[in-house]
Amino acid sequence: GHYCLDINVLIIVFTEMRDKLRKWREDNHRNSEQIVDVGEELINEHASKLGDDIWIIYEQVMIAALDCSRDDLAWTCLQELKKQFPGSQRVKRLAGMRLEALEKYEDASKQYDSILQDDPTNTAARKRKISILKAQGKSAEAIRELNEYLEQFVGDQEAWHELSELYINEHDYGKAAFCLEELMMTNPHNHLYCEQYAEVKYTQGGLENLELSRKYFAQALKLNNGNMRALFGLYMSASHIAASPKVNATVKKANVKYAAWATNQINRAYQVTKTNQLPVEELLLRSS
Amino acid sequence: MAPELLLDSNIRLWVVLPIVFITFLVGVIRHYVSILLQSDKKLTLEQVSDSQVLIRSRILRENGKYIPKQSFLMRKFYFNNQEDGFLKNTKRKVVPPSPMTDPSMLTDMMKGNVTNVLPMILIGGWINWTFSGFVTTKVPFPLTLRFKPMLQQGIELLSLDASWVSSASWYFLNVFGLRSMYSLILGQDNGADQSRIMQEQMSGAAIAMPADTNKAFKAEWEALELTDHQWALEGVEEELMSRELDLDGMFSKELPTGIF
């Protein structure tokens, strides 16, 4: 083993390595350094034992290698894939991603254009083109292209989420909220979307939005009792409403009650953390 | 009532088993041939887009209660508005895919027939000719005499119980019976699955219309018109605060590692 990382990774047997890679693949983990470690060893030492699995492993390792700036490894994987699947669009996309990683955006864009010429319905190539715009800092263009993309592929949840992030960066909270609404409808049990929606509403401000934000923080908590960010959000939105001069006595009373409940729960959480001695920052990071 | 016949054990060895093997192998070959002959069905951009729009409208109807009322109404308006609602106003050119107008459908049908029906007939006939003249097996349930000419081809015995069948019947039994074997070995969705293919051909008439898009839009429009917004979050605070938060097991010492 030549890497001074986790020694345990190097001692693991071949089948464990292969299974780990598969699990990471299926769960869509982006733990690229680990993938590169395990994958590189697997490819170099155990290629013959992998059989047909090796192609999908090449793809997985290549993407991880691009994340870690390991162009040598990425190039090797790409060459193997090109040899085995000449003319494949999936491989072309990987070649484009490598060009992106090397910041050769013009060439990458041409690569994706050629895919789209053969198959105008290829969503992966279109999305990579938008990523290029994002990488070049051309947010307005990226937003515009992504909107056009979504007009045709309304069901692409990944794209909706990406668009919501772009809007948040541009402080266009109204439109970000719209995107998050799409996601909440397609994933009604995902507490993270509710929490993000609530945060956007809170940032927009104004009494109506604060009410909405409180409600959605509550919903996120209902879906996942452990979402600390939502708990703090609930406390803050309820307190804000209670402190506002524009509310009547009933509403004020209700919100004071909500804020008190939230405080109670936060204290309970601190009791638990005191025994585990976690700092506040980690407490806030606990949104799952 | 029927006397128990004792079959020559050679029959078992040289008839029953070979027929099983033959059927199975033919099925496997059919599977691979169907993969080779498979033509890619290319959907147009518009079809993909439309199908997603329909899904979105359906999701709006089903899960619109999770977003605020205003947001729901805005989207309902976008779809159903009298003047320029998407579902109301978008008309697609629909060409019903009959075999005459759509040449690829014709070739698909032909391929389907060649790979499935033809081999079955040929092999069935060959088996009937090769393994004729003797009884192969007995079905475990009693049959009426009307089945005799069908199941006892080539056996000219008037007094033989209809439960005793010829090799051709055994062959057909195998064709359907080996379905689960195919699933085990070739994985789901395999081209050797005869009965599934026949089922598909029967319901094919329904599926062959790639859902007349205009009709689908109209149906969605009607369904959406009828949908009202019942906000799921109306009493969420009360529901949430009716009990303490479940904080068990949340704060373990280990944070999962990220990329690095």
Side-chain angles (χ1 to χ4, degrees), chain A residues 131-239:
Chain A
S131 312
I132 292 178
L133 290 171
K134 191 176 167 196
Q136 293 175 307
K138 300 179 179 166
S139 329
E141 268 187 67
I143 289 179
R144 200 187 53 227
E145 294 284 328
L146 193 45
N147 266 299
E148 275 180 35
Y149 171 83
L150 276 168
E151 250 176 81
Q152 308 231 276
F153 299 101
V154 221
D156 191 331
Q157 295 178 33
E158 189 186 59
W160 279 115
H161 200 234
E162 186 64 39
L163 187 57
S164 78
E165 277 183 28
L166 286 173
Y167 275 134
I168 290 177
N169 281 333
E170 299 298 305
H171 309 297
D172 195 340
Y173 298 115
K175 301 214 179 86
F178 184 93
C179 301
L180 286 166
E181 282 161 4
E182 293 294 316
L183 289 166
M184 285 198 295
M185 283 198 291
T186 44
N187 305 276
H189 301 294
N190 186 325
H191 64 106
L192 294 173
Y193 292 145
C194 291
E195 180 214 299
Q196 287 186 333
Y197 185 72
E199 287 172 359
V200 168
K201 284 289 150 192
Y202 184 90
T203 315
Q204 278 182 297
L207 199 53
E208 210 178 298
N209 286 326
L210 280 176
E211 291 253 353
L212 276 177
S213 110
R214 187 197 66 224
K215 285 219 172 273
Y216 280 93
F217 277 130
Q219 174 75 348
L221 266 177
K222 205 174 123 196
L223 291 170
N224 184 330
N225 275 192
N227 190 330
M228 280 296 118
R229 280 177 77 122
L231 185 53
F232 277 99
L234 176 60
Y235 168 76
M236 289 179 72
S237 47
S239 316

Side-chain angles (χ1 to χ4, degrees), chain A residues 118 237 241 247:
Chain A
D118 288 333
S237 47
I241 298 174
V247 298

Side-chain angles (χ1 to χ4, degrees), chain B residues 167-192:
Chain B
S167 35
S169 333
W170 174 241
Y171 169 68
F172 283 111
L173 215 72
N174 268 274
V175 168
F176 294 102
L178 284 173
R179 216 164 36 98
S180 35
M181 282 284 287
Y182 293 139
S183 304
L184 201 66
I185 299 188
L186 298 170
Q188 285 293 77
D189 216 32
N190 59 67

Side-chain angles (χ1 to χ4, degrees), chain A residues 185-186, chain B residues 51-64 72 79 87 220-221 223-224 227:
Chain A
M185 283 198 291
T186 44
Chain B
S51 69
Q52 293 197 3
V53 170
L54 285 168
I55 292 175
R56 181 164 176 249
S57 169
R58 177 173 58 90
I59 299 266
L60 181 65
R61 278 188 290 119
E62 290 173 3
N63 291 341
F72 172 82
F79 278 122
L87 289 177
E220 262 308 317
W221 181 87
L224 191 53
T227 315

Side-chain angles (χ1 to χ4, degrees), chain B residues 94-197:
Chain B
V94 168
V95 178
S98 80
M100 310 309 142
T101 53
D102 191 359
S104 68
M105 272 273 294
L106 195 61
T107 44
D108 271 343
M109 262 191 347
M110 222 185 60
K111 279 185 215 163
N113 285 336
V114 167
T115 43
N116 293 315
V117 179
L118 210 63
M120 190 159 84
I121 296 176
L122 286 176
I123 307 242
W126 175 77
I127 287 189
N128 201 20
W129 176 79
T130 325
F131 298 105
S132 69
F134 46 76
V135 164
T136 304
T137 184
K138 179 177 197 280
V139 293
F141 44 84
L143 293 172
T144 65
L145 289 173
R146 315 209 31 236
F147 285 101
K148 274 185 77 163
M150 182 167 62
L151 298 176
Q152 286 181 355
Q153 286 235 326
I155 304 170
E156 315 293 338
L157 282 181
L158 290 173
S159 60
L160 190 56
D161 199 327
S163 299
W164 295 97
V165 299
S166 71
S167 35
S169 333
W170 174 241
Y171 169 68
F172 283 111
L173 215 72
N174 268 274
V175 168
F176 294 102
L178 284 173
R179 216 164 36 98
S180 35
M181 282 284 287
Y182 293 139
S183 304
L184 201 66
I185 299 188
L186 298 170
Q188 285 293 77
D189 216 32
N190 59 67
D193 202 334
Q194 187 78 312
S195 62
R196 199 182 60 98
I197 292 168

Side-chain angles (χ1 to χ4, degrees), chain A residues 30 33 152-155 178 181-182 185 188 197 214-216 222 225-226 258 265 268 276 286, chain B residues 45 49 52 56 63 66-68 71 75 231 233-234 237-239 241 244-246 250-251 259:
Chain A
R30 201 73 184 262
E33 263 218 12
Q152 308 231 276
F153 299 101
V154 221
F178 184 93
E181 282 161 4
E182 293 294 316
M185 283 198 291
Y197 185 72
R214 187 197 66 224
K215 285 219 172 273
Y216 280 93
K222 205 174 123 196
N225 275 192
Y258 298 147
Q265 301 304 314
R268 280 186 65 221
N276 291 353
R286 289 282 177 181
Chain B
L45 192 53
S49 184
Q52 293 197 3
R56 181 164 176 249
N63 291 341
Y66 293 112
I67 60 177
S71 313
R75 287 167 170 82
W231 203 21
L233 272 68
E234 201 59 64
E237 287 95 347
E238 305 306 322
E239 285 165 33
M241 300 179 189
E244 302 283 306
L245 285 182
D246 179 9
M250 202 180 37
F251 299 113
I259 291 187

